[in-house]
Amino acid sequence: MFVLINLKTYPCDPVAVAEAARDVDETTDARIAVAPQATHLERVAETGVETWAQHVDPIDYGSNTGHTLAEAAADAGAVGTLINHSERRLKLADVDGAIRAAERAGLETVVCANNPAQIGAAAALAPDAVAVEPPELIGTGTPVSQADPDVVEDAVDAAARVDEDVTVLCGAGISTGEDVVAAADLGSSGVLLASGVAKADDPAAALADLVEPL
Amino acid sequence: MFVLINLKTYPCDPVAVAEAARDVDETTDARIAVAPQATHLERVAETGVETWAQHVDPIDYGSNTGHTLAEAAADAGAVGTLINHSERRLKLADVDGAIRAAERAGLETVVCANNPAQIGAAAALAPDAVAVEPPELIGTGTPVSQADPDVVEDAVDAAARVDEDVTVLCGAGISTGEDVVAAADLGSSGVLLASGVAKADDPAAALADLVEPL
Amino acid sequence: MFVLINLKTYPCDPVAVAEAARDVDETTDARIAVAPQATHLERVAETGVETWAQHVDPIDYGSNTGHTLAEAAADAGAVGTLINHSERRLKLADVDGAIRAAERAGLETVVCANNPAQIGAAAALAPDAVAVEPPELIGTGTPVSQADPDVVEDAVDAAARVDEDVTVLCGAGISTGEDVVAAADLGSSGVLLASGVAKADDPAAALADLVEPL
Amino acid sequence: MFVLINLKTYPCDPVAVAEAARDVDETTDARIAVAPQATHLERVAETGVETWAQHVDPIDYGSNTGHTLAEAAADAGAVGTLINHSERRLKLADVDGAIRAAERAGLETVVCANNPAQIGAAAALAPDAVAVEPPELIGTGTPVSQADPDVVEDAVDAAARVDEDVTVLCGAGISTGEDVVAAADLGSSGVLLASGVAKADDPAAALADLVEPL
């Protein structure tokens, strides 16, 4: 299982969460990565944890002010990037452009979407993975695997019908090891996490609990 | 072949073009429709021509100011709508939402996209049809079927791989009957036209020439 | 006082509300106008009521699909337009462009904004009027004149400091004649209304009550 | 004069340009700052040069993915930020929100705009400074002070009428010391530069030439 921790713009110490993630990663078969803000990419990557960007723009080197260039994220230590998170939705053509930009810079890609139909659409753009996150469950603490298990299974089916090479993650409300196991049982290859770890008093303990059943 | 004439915000008389389209439609096996601005939908529909909207928003009845409600377009006489035209690109989630809104209102849907990958993505959202229009050819007078025939064939393949029920149109630079025949030969079920008819001195003659070889 | 009724995409009969507004307008010194969806502009204007658009795009005649051209709104019978409503916010440069487009087409302009600072900014772009609508009060039934009277007075001051020719309307939560009187007492030259009239069982009675104290 | 060098997403070495700017800054009365991409803020700030962000979002700590938090930019070493650059235009309400976010984090603000009317609007939102950059001149090598001197003087007047405490910079096409002197003569308190320095073979020499006449 791939466990990707999105630090959003939370008031957490990104380096402390990154070190916790790195340490827990060494104790488990799960693959753990951390996605900090662009300004923190370098500091997080220096901890040795697998580092992801939260977003890259559909641009190349050139006259772009206030954008995130995939090459700059890679140069700062990122090895992958989220694209089209529900808090950073992109136009269809720009999802395509952002995937191509990430590929060009050697970044792995996870494209987020709200429902199985959009997961199929995202898969047709040939990212490495897609992640289904029903917006109404984000931040609720109610895991998608429990609140709406069909959406995970349907997303896995939708992606497989379009491109069998695209793996499927799920997110929204996941905070316990049981949730992660349930996600795996529904066909998911990984989970997106955020507040459950990033806002925990003890991120290492929260993560250890999370991957313990795996 | 389906011939859809997009009037954009051209300074043409929408009713005159609509009447020309209606008259030519009666002389040919091709299916001809006209997509005027929202403010002109009713006037165009009253001519009896098949009338399409240029865009609908991913909304329902309610507190939305300055949006195009699918039901209002249908009520004004539209029977279909373009979605995600390159001059009105939408977020991926909103392409999905606009298709669902159009279906709810009984409107047929054509989702535009720039390239075969995006055509696959659009097809995964289950519209009635998709339309590939390479942005660099729009308004050039160089038909896509001649400048980049592979993009049409690849779009037809991409849509078929995802959903065999989704038909494929093509657009950009089409202005002669030969272009329409070439588009059909490449597997396209129709064409999007704009300035070639809307800005013609004699729209009826331009349309008649266009459908003559069919 | 100017009373501008925004029909949004409510499931109301736009012609019935327009006729009610026209009839009440003849009985009062207040100036009453109705802003329907773009598809309904022509039908509403035909009732003889003063008709406004809900939005125009910062464009000219040309290659624009799915946009609202100011000239098309004027041609359908609109004499004014809202710009930058909180449900249709525009980029700063596009607020400027939309005002210029409306002026070109002879449309009167009311630019909406959330707070006194933004009202000052909107006034600097020289529209005919600005309208302050705190987003948190829209649709609440709690009138801005009561919930936050300072915001109206501060908006009047902010506009006057920048351009004394720009009048100030207010909106959000207004539904009774007392609310309208209170808005006038705070220095407002008019009000934006929506659900209070558009969703009333008897729009004519709701409007008559509203303008009765004036 | 304030000389702000926008590195955009140019393929330059941000640290090399920063060191050059730092060194030239010590030899001149001009104030020189560098605005790198968010991923490079920390590395650039470590050189000791005055460091600016290219953009901050109108957000606070919380659930925001792929955004630039003003506090994170400040924490990485930025002391100011551009807002609403023509390559990163914001909605009017978001220009306001981004200025407030920057203030909260202790960042100085320069809001960009296209013309004198928009400069007045930006000034009404009370940033520290505004910058007029006619979009059609950006990247041309033709300085605004020469191509359209009126736009600079009119921008200075527009800002002063709204708020005398807001200083005015200008940009677009500036690449020589003469351009900077001309900008100062027109009432500008500083200039925005980009390719003229960032893409120079010898950024230190380019900058030294630029500030030499001051």
Side-chain angles (χ1 to χ4, degrees):
Chain A
M1 287 294 276
F2 182 32
V3 176
L4 179 50
I5 305 162
N6 179 0
L7 302 189
K8 301 191 175 185
T9 60
Y10 291 139
C12 62
D13 177 347
V15 170
V17 178
E19 289 172 343
R22 176 201 61 198
D23 293 347
V24 175
D25 182 64
E26 287 167 7
T27 69
T28 170
D29 286 343
R31 169 189 171 197
I32 303 180
V34 171
Q37 298 177 54
T39 42
H40 295 154
L41 278 172
E42 201 159 290
R43 260 189 269 174
V44 163
E46 281 166 3
T47 66
V49 78
E50 182 177 329
T51 303
W52 279 55
Q54 294 178 7
H55 164 78
V56 297
D57 281 295
I59 57 165
D60 206 334
Y61 285 107
S63 291
N64 309 288
T65 297
H67 290 74
T68 302
L69 179 69
E71 279 82 356
D75 181 46
V79 300
T81 187
L82 291 172
I83 290 172
N84 197 45
H85 189 275
S86 69
E87 294 158 7
R88 193 71 163 92
R89 281 178 176 166
L90 300 180
K91 293 179 181 175
L92 170 56
D94 290 340
V95 176
D96 184 21
I99 297 171
R100 303 291 85 83
E103 280 177 351
R104 198 187 58 214
L107 297 175
E108 202 174 325
T109 49
V110 171
V111 177
C112 302
N114 297 343
N115 58 37
Q118 292 171 29
I119 283 290
L125 299 170
D128 295 298
V130 290
V132 63
E133 290 200 296
E136 64 277 16
L137 297 179
I138 293 180
T140 58
T142 304
V144 59
S145 47
Q146 182 182 309
D148 199 355
D150 286 355
V151 86
V152 180
E153 289 186 312
D154 291 350
V156 171
D157 289 348
R161 265 199 307 278
V162 169
D163 185 341
E164 295 211 335
D165 293 336
V166 176
T167 56
V168 179
L169 316 185
C170 66
I174 290 173
S175 60
T176 71
E178 279 173 39
D179 301 342
V180 178
V181 170
D185 289 346
L186 293 165
S188 166
S189 305
V191 291
L192 294 194
L193 293 170
S195 55
V197 171
K199 291 177 147 180
D201 288 335
D202 183 344
L207 255 179
D209 282 357
L210 205 85
V211 300
E212 195 276 327
L214 295 177
Chain B
M1 288 293 276
F2 181 32
V3 176
L4 179 50
I5 305 162
N6 178 0
L7 302 189
K8 302 194 176 184
T9 59
Y10 291 138
C12 62
D13 176 348
V15 170
V17 179
E19 289 173 343
R22 177 201 60 196
D23 293 346
V24 175
D25 183 63
E26 287 167 8
T27 69
T28 171
D29 287 342
R31 169 188 171 198
I32 303 181
V34 171
Q37 299 178 52
T39 41
H40 295 153
L41 279 171
E42 202 159 289
R43 256 189 272 175
V44 163
E46 281 166 3
T47 66
V49 79
E50 181 176 329
T51 304
W52 280 55
Q54 294 178 7
H55 163 78
V56 296
D57 281 294
I59 57 165
D60 207 334
Y61 284 108
S63 292
N64 309 288
T65 297
H67 289 74
T68 302
L69 179 69
E71 279 82 357
D75 182 45
V79 299
T81 186
L82 291 173
I83 291 173
N84 196 46
H85 189 276
S86 69
E87 293 158 8
R88 193 73 163 89
R89 282 177 175 166
L90 299 179
K91 293 179 182 178
L92 170 56
D94 290 340
V95 176
D96 184 20
I99 297 170
R100 303 291 84 83
E103 280 177 351
R104 198 187 57 214
L107 297 175
E108 201 174 324
T109 50
V110 170
V111 177
C112 302
N114 297 342
N115 58 37
Q118 292 171 30
I119 284 291
L125 299 170
D128 294 300
V130 291
V132 62
E133 289 200 298
E136 65 277 15
L137 296 179
I138 293 180
T140 58
T142 305
V144 59
S145 47
Q146 182 182 311
D148 199 354
D150 287 354
V151 85
V152 180
E153 290 187 311
D154 291 350
V156 171
D157 288 348
R161 267 198 307 276
V162 169
D163 184 340
E164 295 212 335
D165 293 336
V166 176
T167 55
V168 179
L169 316 185
C170 67
I174 289 173
S175 58
T176 70
E178 279 174 38
D179 301 342
V180 179
V181 169
D185 290 345
L186 293 165
S188 165
S189 306
V191 292
L192 295 193
L193 292 171
S195 55
V197 170
K199 292 177 146 180
D201 289 333
D202 183 345
L207 256 178
D209 283 356
L210 205 84
V211 300
E212 195 277 328
L214 294 178
Chain C
M1 288 292 277
F2 181 35
V3 176
L4 179 50
I5 306 162
N6 179 0
L7 302 188
K8 302 193 176 186
T9 59
Y10 291 140
C12 62
D13 177 348
V15 170
V17 178
E19 289 172 343
R22 177 201 60 197
D23 293 347
V24 175
D25 183 63
E26 287 166 8
T27 69
T28 170
D29 287 343
R31 168 188 171 199
I32 303 180
V34 171
Q37 300 177 51
T39 42
H40 295 153
L41 278 172
E42 200 159 289
R43 260 189 270 174
V44 163
E46 280 166 3
T47 66
V49 79
E50 181 177 329
T51 304
W52 280 54
Q54 295 178 7
H55 163 78
V56 296
D57 280 295
I59 57 164
D60 206 335
Y61 285 107
S63 291
N64 310 288
T65 297
H67 290 74
T68 303
L69 179 69
E71 279 81 356
D75 182 45
V79 299
T81 186
L82 292 173
I83 290 172
N84 197 44
H85 188 276
S86 69
E87 294 158 6
R88 194 72 163 88
R89 282 177 175 166
L90 299 180
K91 293 179 181 177
L92 170 56
D94 290 340
V95 176
D96 185 20
I99 297 170
R100 302 292 84 85
E103 281 177 351
R104 198 186 58 215
L107 297 175
E108 201 175 326
T109 50
V110 171
V111 177
C112 303
N114 297 343
N115 59 36
Q118 291 171 30
I119 283 290
L125 298 170
D128 294 298
V130 290
V132 63
E133 290 201 296
E136 65 277 15
L137 297 179
I138 294 179
T140 57
T142 305
V144 59
S145 47
Q146 181 182 310
D148 199 355
D150 288 354
V151 86
V152 180
E153 290 186 311
D154 291 351
V156 171
D157 289 348
R161 266 199 308 277
V162 169
D163 185 341
E164 295 211 334
D165 293 336
V166 176
T167 55
V168 179
L169 316 184
C170 67
I174 290 173
S175 59
T176 71
E178 280 173 38
D179 300 343
V180 178
V181 170
D185 289 345
L186 292 165
S188 166
S189 305
V191 293
L192 294 193
L193 293 170
S195 56
V197 172
K199 291 177 147 181
D201 288 334
D202 183 345
L207 255 178
D209 283 355
L210 205 87
V211 300
E212 194 276 329
L214 294 179
Chain D
M1 288 293 276
F2 182 33
V3 176
L4 179 50
I5 306 161
N6 179 1
L7 303 188
K8 302 192 176 186
T9 59
Y10 290 139
C12 62
D13 177 348
V15 170
V17 178
E19 288 172 345
R22 177 199 61 198
D23 293 347
V24 175
D25 182 63
E26 287 166 7
T27 69
T28 172
D29 287 342
R31 169 188 171 199
I32 303 179
V34 171
Q37 298 176 53
T39 42
H40 296 154
L41 279 172
E42 200 159 291
R43 258 189 270 175
V44 163
E46 280 167 4
T47 66
V49 79
E50 181 176 329
T51 304
W52 280 54
Q54 295 178 7
H55 163 77
V56 297
D57 281 295
I59 57 164
D60 206 334
Y61 284 107
S63 291
N64 309 288
T65 297
H67 289 75
T68 303
L69 179 70
E71 279 82 356
D75 182 46
V79 300
T81 186
L82 291 172
I83 290 173
N84 197 45
H85 189 276
S86 69
E87 294 158 5
R88 193 72 163 89
R89 283 178 175 165
L90 300 180
K91 292 178 182 177
L92 171 57
D94 290 340
V95 176
D96 185 21
I99 297 170
R100 303 291 85 84
E103 280 177 350
R104 197 186 58 214
L107 296 176
E108 201 173 325
T109 50
V110 171
V111 177
C112 302
N114 296 343
N115 59 37
Q118 292 172 30
I119 283 290
L125 299 170
D128 294 298
V130 290
V132 63
E133 290 200 296
E136 65 277 15
L137 297 178
I138 294 180
T140 57
T142 305
V144 60
S145 46
Q146 182 182 311
D148 199 354
D150 287 354
V151 86
V152 180
E153 290 186 311
D154 291 350
V156 171
D157 289 347
R161 267 198 309 275
V162 169
D163 185 341
E164 295 211 334
D165 293 336
V166 175
T167 55
V168 179
L169 316 185
C170 67
I174 290 172
S175 59
T176 71
E178 278 173 40
D179 301 342
V180 178
V181 170
D185 290 345
L186 293 166
S188 166
S189 303
V191 292
L192 294 193
L193 293 170
S195 55
V197 171
K199 291 178 146 178
D201 288 335
D202 183 345
L207 255 178
D209 284 355
L210 205 86
V211 299
E212 195 276 327
L214 295 179

